[in-house]
Amino acid sequence: DVKVTQSSRYLVKRTGEKVFLECVQDMDHENMFWYRQDPGLGLRLIYFSYDVKMKEKGDIPEGYSVSREKKERFSLILESASTNQTSMYLCASSLAHGTKVRHSPLHFGNGTRLTVT
Amino acid sequence: DAKTTQPNSMESNEEEPVHLPCNHSTISGTDYIHWYRQLPSQGPEYVIHGLTSNVNNRMASLAIAEDRKSSTLILHRATLRDAAVYYCILRGIIQGAQKLVFGQGTRLTINP
């Protein structure tokens, strides 16, 4: 089974801190994703990456950056955390490039609940 | 972007079939329809996907309308473990980028 591991289950940070959320997948997947999940808003895509050192903005990239130096690891960075970034963050990965991506399931981690105070 | 519309909540009884609807009237011809579910305190998990034909797997069935503007996830015999939020998602390609659009999800309650 594919395993997507997020480094922290719960995280509490102060406003203005730089925050790193780490995600590792063990199935050699090309694609990796970062979502945030908020009540009433569902899942929203922040960034995704389809290869090492490649990244694409999702629907809500403002205030975030990402890093993918190795295929198995995708990091989400909050350069200066703010209280409106308090949320559940979900990492996911999937196989396949190009048109095959359309029928490639996403595999999610169990999330990091970040609180910014 | 193509979006999906789902009822906010549904309720059913244990051991009865459940039909979860999803509308996607602006779906493009190359979009696949995916369903995921999210159990409490977990990340979403894949359930099933399809393009045009109905699909079955060990978890559920997916019925896709002929015009592809709607689909229905069918749980043939619900159990208490099926209580979750179910998401209907369209997966396609726009200009080489991955297009992933999540609906708001349906919270399914199963009564014993």
Side-chain angles (χ1 to χ4, degrees):
Chain A
D1 277 351
V2 175
K3 192 167 183 184
V4 178
T5 304
Q6 295 184 231
S7 54
S8 303
R9 191 88 165 121
Y10 299 94
L11 212 51
V12 179
K13 296 291 181 180
R14 293 190 182 276
T15 302
E17 275 193 82
K18 189 169 185 175
V19 181
F20 293 85
L21 302 183
E22 306 287 347
C23 175
V24 177
Q25 49 96 1
D26 65 359
M27 282 301 289
D28 204 35
H29 283 175
E30 290 92 345
N31 306 307
M32 296 188 75
F33 308 82
W34 275 107
Y35 288 87
R36 63 177 284 176
Q37 183 172 30
D38 301 287
L41 296 176
L43 278 80
R44 294 179 291 166
L45 181 65
I46 305 171
Y47 268 97
F48 69 93
S49 168
Y50 51 90
D51 204 347
V52 174
K53 295 191 188 294
M54 306 304 289
K55 61 184 179 184
E56 292 276 350
K57 292 180 180 179
D59 296 323
I60 50 164
E62 296 78 20
Y64 303 95
S65 62
V66 289
S67 172
R68 192 157 179 212
E69 296 297 318
K70 293 185 178 181
K71 194 174 185 180
E72 67 271 19
R73 186 179 297 271
F74 192 35
S75 303
L76 181 69
I77 304 156
L78 288 66
E79 295 289 342
S80 177
S82 63
T83 54
N84 62 13
Q85 291 178 310
T86 291
S87 186
M88 170 69 82
Y89 290 87
L90 290 159
C91 176
S93 71
S94 75
L95 197 57
H97 281 300
T99 57
K100 291 182 182 178
V101 75
R102 296 173 295 158
H103 51 86
S104 176
L106 270 70
H107 300 268
F108 283 85
N110 280 329
T112 296
R113 185 166 294 283
L114 172 68
T115 302
V116 183
T117 61
Chain B
D1 287 344
K3 294 193 184 298
T4 62
T5 305
Q6 300 173 253
N8 287 333
S9 62
M10 290 183 66
E11 197 170 329
S12 186
N13 297 319
E14 200 174 7
E15 298 188 2
E16 290 184 358
V18 180
H19 290 235
L20 296 161
C22 181
N23 289 319
H24 27 79
S25 59
T26 59
I27 189 171
S28 74
T30 54
D31 286 346
Y32 276 72
I33 301 157
H34 285 237
W35 282 82
Y36 290 74
R37 71 179 186 181
Q38 188 172 18
L39 303 171
S41 301
Q42 294 186 23
E45 66 172 338
Y46 166 78
V47 177
I48 200 167
H49 76 277
L51 183 63
T52 55
S53 305
N54 295 344
V55 184
N56 300 294
N57 67 19
R58 64 175 179 80
M59 290 180 72
S61 295
L62 176 60
I64 301 172
E66 201 168 328
D67 63 5
R68 297 204 338 118
K69 293 184 177 181
S70 65
S71 61
T72 302
L73 180 71
I74 302 165
L75 307 177
H76 294 285
R77 203 158 168 253
T79 70
L80 297 177
R81 287 192 299 267
D82 292 321
V85 178
Y86 286 78
Y87 293 97
C88 169
I89 303 160
L90 302 182
R91 291 207 76 189
I93 296 290
I94 286 185
Q95 297 176 345
Q98 298 191 26
K99 184 181 72 166
L100 294 147
V101 182
F102 274 74
Q104 76 274 25
T106 297
R107 182 173 298 278
L108 177 64
T109 301
I110 304 295
N111 300 314

